[in-house]
Amino acid sequence: MNQVKVLRAIDYPRMPWKNGGGSTEEITRDAGVGLEGFGWRLSIADIGESGGFSTFTGYERVITVLQGDGMTLRVDGQDTHPLLPLHPFAFSGESEVSCTLLGGPIRDFNLIYAPQRYSARLQWLAGEQRFFSSAGTVLVFSITDALEVNAGNSASQLGRHDCLQLDGNTGLLEVSVNGPCCVIELTAH
């Protein structure tokens, strides 16, 4: 049976970065405590200055700038194209990564997952969208002040940076949204 919960941005716990260089608001995760034991984790980070990223050996990462001018990353010695708001970028958690801010501070949105345990799909949507998912966990992250999400038989209202989490999907789930958001589908192996 599908379990739906709405996670409110105001309630996200703040935790220090693994490397001590900043802080993160954790949105949700599948398991574990602190920075250990999770198969996937969703978070928002505030980056106030250029610098290094924490490493997460055994994980893949997808990062998206939410607010601010953007940044470039240096991944294992190679510079990326500028990462602008709402343009996701994927890289290995094992990579040596640092960022250079293009303007002032930014906020970014992060999915970290263990590919040996989960398959992941992340996409940014705009406007009214309707899709079907067979993923075991479906997350819908709002970047607007009022987002209506219908998932199966459940209707929810999300505010800015709120997240709907649906776990336990075993069928073909119908999902519809009415505005800009990020949809993440996670399937356990």
Side-chain angles (χ1 to χ4, degrees):
M1 172 143 171
N2 293 343
Q3 298 174 312
V4 176
K5 55 186 168 184
V6 173
L7 308 165
R8 300 290 178 195
I10 196 167
D11 298 326
Y12 299 155
R14 187 170 283 280
M15 55 188 7
W17 286 355
K18 194 173 174 183
N19 70 5
S23 65
T24 293
E25 292 177 12
E26 184 174 271
I27 300 170
T28 186
R29 61 167 61 209
D30 68 329
V33 175
L35 294 171
E36 303 301 324
F38 63 86
W40 60 264
R41 175 177 176 241
L42 205 57
S43 63
I44 298 171
D46 290 295
I47 301 178
E49 57 189 33
S50 300
F53 279 30
S54 303
T55 58
F56 285 89
T57 300
Y59 290 90
E60 292 293 316
R61 299 179 69 171
V62 183
I63 191 168
T64 307
V65 174
L66 287 177
Q67 296 171 308
D69 292 339
M71 64 180 164
T72 57
L73 296 183
R74 187 164 188 84
V75 180
D76 295 328
Q78 298 292 315
D79 289 328
T80 66
H81 59 279
L83 305 183
L84 303 176
L86 306 185
H87 290 94
F89 180 77
F91 59 96
S92 171
E94 297 175 23
S95 293
E96 186 178 309
V97 180
S98 62
C99 77
T100 301
L101 299 179
L102 298 177
I106 65 164
R107 294 194 95 196
D108 65 33
F109 178 72
N110 298 279
L111 169 65
I112 302 177
Y113 70 97
Q116 69 277 17
R117 293 164 61 188
Y118 287 93
S119 295
R121 180 177 191 220
L122 179 148
Q123 57 187 328
W124 288 91
L125 304 177
E128 287 193 33
Q129 300 282 331
R130 187 169 71 109
F131 63 93
F132 294 86
S133 178
S134 61
T137 297
V138 177
L139 305 166
V140 179
F141 176 78
S142 173
I143 57 167
T144 185
D145 292 334
L147 180 74
E148 185 175 320
V149 181
N150 292 294
N153 297 324
S154 166
S156 303
Q157 293 288 331
L158 303 183
R160 182 174 303 274
H161 296 173
D162 290 348
C163 185
L164 178 132
Q165 180 173 342
L166 184 141
D167 291 307
N169 182 39
T170 57
L172 195 57
L173 176 72
E174 181 177 353
V175 179
S176 64
V177 296
N178 71 339
C181 63
C182 184
V183 174
I184 297 170
E185 299 166 88
L186 295 149
T187 303
H189 295 306

